[in-house]
Amino acid sequence: MPENAQGRLKVGAPVAIIDIGSNSVRLVAYEGQTRSPTPIFNEKVLCGLGRNVLTTGKLAQDAMDKALAALARFRVLCDTMRISEVRVLATAAARDAGNGAEFLARCEQVTGQPVELISGKREAKLSAMGVVSGIWKPDGVVGDLGGGSLELIEVKGHKLGSGVTLPLGGLALQDRSGGSIKKALKLVRDAFEGLPQIEACKGRAFYAVGGTWRALARLHMSQRGYPLHVMHNYVIPARDAVDFARLVERVDADMLDSIESVSAARRPLLAYGALVLEQIIRLAKPSEVVISAMGVREGLLFEQLDDESKAQDPLLAMARELNVLRSRSPQHGEELCAWTDRFLASTSLDETAEDKRLRHAACLLADIGWRAHPDYRGEQSFNIIAHAGFAGVDHPGRAYLALAVAYRHMGLSDEKVSPRLRELATARMLDRARILGAAMRVAYIISAAMPGVLPRTPLHCAHGLLELNLPEEFAALASDRLFNRLKSLARIIGRTPHIQVG
């Protein structure tokens, strides 16, 4: 990386993946090989390589020309970004076409890199690993819908079941059905009959991967006026997903609200993607549909990590990265985690493992807005956290993180935070966000965001008191301002504030 790029992490050389899919050809370059990799460049071209492959047996010349032109541009871009490690993958269209091998040979010439033609089962496995990399402790079935195929595979934590690939991608269904939704429905039902992956999904989550399903989710967000426009980990209740899928199948795509957010080339495939999703829900009976923005590419990166890195929490990994990049003292964020550990343990408040990981993430993110004007630090921190490219956190969790850090800067009033985003958090989460925000307001006024202070100034509850201990050298900190902040925290946890000096 350029030596003066102070906003980049020192995580080794950047890496890139080029994905030659049935509908799109995409380049994603990542900052480095990490547990929670951050894209530094992302571009796709809708080439439609899989169009009519199942009826003609070949890739169309115009689609190949468009793909090769995109690959030539991607090679220049990778050279410009000084990326030497470039992985090139090809999926269903190249697998199924009679001229696929010839096309891939040309792809290798253009990119200067070998092309890995992955099997359907490997594609399913990589998609599942992408979900594992981006969703904390997933439990259900992953479905990756591309232009040519649909892959289904069971996942529970880091354990993967056996995968299956089916010719049910949007382009493939459009081709095989002759453009008839009714005929496509029969093809889908026949393909799903007796599948163990369908049976395994009952009462569990269905993780939807792929551009067409992301486009459907974007439209669903618009239809319901959803306040957070972050696709990853967007959850749709199963019943709601069925109703929306039926709407998309029934109406002209151009009549849907916010259809302009979907490219014209993808719009004809929406009805087929909705049909497949509807049948999965009707037959598999999942509890909910969870959209994953991470799939094959992220799965490939995850596969290359060592076991210790794979076991890391992706949310905490990225929170630590932002702490390093943006905080006045990254060590202070780590100390704040331990300081609030001791405080919470002394209260009567119960805390689950999920509560604790979210609290730690909030502590690591608490100082990322310090460079903003003091009047806007809370607002800026709130927006950064709510819209960051986090993995391993759902939308209510995002709301909690953003609110806790906003309270830390702006006080405990809700007047300056988004009322719509607050709706995403549960009452319990809102309460915990206020408590943590109030505690952080105490921590920062005694430490000035510098390390070494919090370990020596414990905060704890005992005998009805909320007591802050200050050693003699910090006695001058015992001001009215500090006491008022301690009093605000004491009020919301039902204690009497006290500062103990010496």
Side-chain angles (χ1 to χ4, degrees):
M1 92 179 55
E3 291 183 3
N4 62 344
Q6 299 300 306
R8 295 270 290 274
L9 292 165
K10 294 180 174 64
V11 290
V15 298
I17 298 176
I18 297 173
D19 183 0
I20 305 172
S22 299
N23 196 33
S24 64
V25 176
R26 184 186 289 267
L27 163 68
V28 184
Y30 299 89
E31 186 176 30
Q33 186 79 38
T34 65
R35 176 61 182 86
S36 191
T38 300
I40 56 175
F41 188 85
N42 189 332
E43 183 180 340
K44 72 175 178 185
V45 179
L46 292 171
C47 301
L49 283 168
R51 194 175 304 281
N52 299 323
V53 165
L54 294 183
T55 52
T56 67
K58 291 186 177 182
L59 302 169
Q61 188 62 49
D62 62 335
M64 289 192 292
D65 290 343
K66 193 172 184 179
L68 291 167
L71 293 174
R73 185 167 71 258
F74 292 168
R75 179 173 182 174
V76 173
L77 288 167
C78 286
D79 290 344
T80 300
M81 291 182 282
R82 305 179 192 177
I83 300 176
S84 57
E85 185 180 347
V86 181
R87 298 284 297 273
V88 186
L89 307 177
T91 55
R95 284 198 305 263
D96 298 335
N99 58 346
E102 176 187 344
F103 167 67
L104 293 183
R106 294 176 64 191
C107 292
E108 291 186 348
Q109 291 176 348
V110 170
T111 62
Q113 301 289 340
V115 178
E116 180 184 351
L117 179 61
I118 61 176
S119 66
K121 287 192 173 183
R122 174 154 170 75
E123 189 173 357
K125 181 180 178 183
L126 290 175
S127 295
M129 285 195 288
V131 169
V132 170
S133 77
I135 293 178
W136 186 239
K137 297 182 179 179
D139 181 14
V141 171
V142 176
D144 186 351
L145 183 71
S149 63
L150 167 69
E151 282 71 42
L152 295 171
I153 182 170
E154 185 180 1
V155 60
K156 185 174 180 62
H158 283 206
K159 295 181 180 179
L160 309 182
S162 59
V164 64
T165 184
L166 306 164
L168 300 180
L171 291 173
L173 272 179
Q174 187 181 51
D175 187 10
R176 294 171 64 205
S177 67
S180 167
I181 288 291
K182 186 176 180 179
K183 291 180 180 177
L185 174 59
K186 186 177 187 310
L187 291 170
V188 172
R189 285 178 173 171
D190 289 347
F192 285 163
E193 187 174 354
L195 276 183
Q197 290 82 5
I198 294 291
E199 298 295 327
C201 197
K202 186 174 182 180
R204 302 163 73 193
F206 178 72
Y207 300 98
V209 178
T212 297
W213 280 340
R214 287 195 300 274
L216 286 172
R218 192 175 301 114
L219 295 174
H220 184 267
M221 281 182 170
S222 178
Q223 291 278 334
R224 62 184 289 202
Y226 193 72
L228 184 61
H229 295 170
V230 172
M231 194 56 56
H232 187 61
N233 233 320
Y234 177 60
V235 176
I236 311 175
R239 180 69 260 175
D240 195 16
V242 165
D243 291 341
F244 185 69
R246 292 185 65 188
L247 169 68
V248 174
E249 293 168 47
R250 187 178 73 246
V251 306
D252 185 336
D254 289 337
M255 301 300 293
L256 294 169
D257 189 28
S258 298
I259 190 62
E260 66 277 359
S261 66
V262 180
S263 67
R266 194 181 291 282
R267 291 178 197 176
L269 304 182
L270 290 175
Y272 296 99
L275 171 65
V276 174
L277 183 60
E278 180 192 355
Q279 293 308 306
I280 286 173
I281 297 170
R282 290 191 182 281
L283 296 172
K285 296 179 171 49
S287 58
E288 60 192 11
V289 176
V290 182
I291 304 300
S292 173
M294 299 182 180
V296 168
R297 292 177 297 274
E298 291 74 22
L300 184 65
L301 294 178
F302 185 77
E303 182 183 52
Q304 296 172 14
L305 296 174
D306 57 44
D307 290 343
E308 183 179 353
S309 297
K310 287 178 180 177
Q312 291 176 5
D313 185 324
L315 171 62
L316 295 180
M318 188 167 185
R320 284 195 166 90
E321 290 173 355
L322 282 174
N323 184 32
V324 167
L325 288 172
R326 291 176 175 264
S327 298
R328 282 169 284 189
S329 168
Q331 183 57 38
H332 181 271
E334 300 287 351
E335 291 179 356
L336 186 58
C337 292
W339 189 78
T340 57
D341 279 346
R342 293 192 295 272
F343 161 61
L344 262 294
S346 72
T347 71
S348 59
L349 299 169
D350 64 305
E351 185 176 50
T352 66
E354 178 65 12
D355 292 336
K356 183 175 181 178
R357 67 184 288 266
L358 289 175
R359 174 171 56 80
H360 280 189
C363 289
L364 295 168
L365 298 168
D367 201 39
I368 63 172
W370 74 272
R371 283 187 178 274
H373 185 282
D375 292 346
Y376 298 99
R377 285 174 186 163
E379 181 180 344
Q380 185 178 92
S381 299
F382 183 92
N383 287 327
I384 290 172
I385 295 168
H387 302 105
F390 289 130
V393 65
D394 59 14
H395 288 195
R398 280 178 179 272
Y400 163 86
L401 295 175
L403 287 165
V405 178
Y407 291 141
R408 165 259 194 271
H409 286 287
M410 300 189 299
L412 306 184
S413 170
D414 289 323
E415 293 180 2
K416 296 181 181 180
V417 298
S418 166
R420 293 299 318 282
L421 202 61
R422 284 180 64 245
E423 293 173 7
L424 298 181
T426 64
R428 174 191 171 89
M429 281 182 157
L430 291 172
D431 177 55
R432 295 307 170 88
R434 281 195 182 88
I435 292 171
L436 180 58
M440 291 193 294
R441 287 176 65 78
V442 173
Y444 276 90
I445 201 173
I446 60 176
S447 66
M450 291 295 106
V453 177
L454 293 182
R456 303 173 61 197
T457 55
L459 177 71
H460 67 279
C461 296
H463 309 296
L465 297 178
L466 172 63
E467 185 170 276
L468 176 67
N469 292 95
L470 297 178
E472 286 291 346
E473 64 186 285
F474 294 134
L477 295 176
S479 63
D480 289 343
R481 190 174 182 216
L482 173 60
F483 186 78
N484 286 336
R485 289 195 175 187
L486 189 66
K487 184 166 65 174
S488 293
L489 173 58
R491 184 183 301 117
I492 59 178
I493 63 171
R495 298 292 199 281
T496 300
H498 177 70
I499 297 176
Q500 177 66 42
V501 177

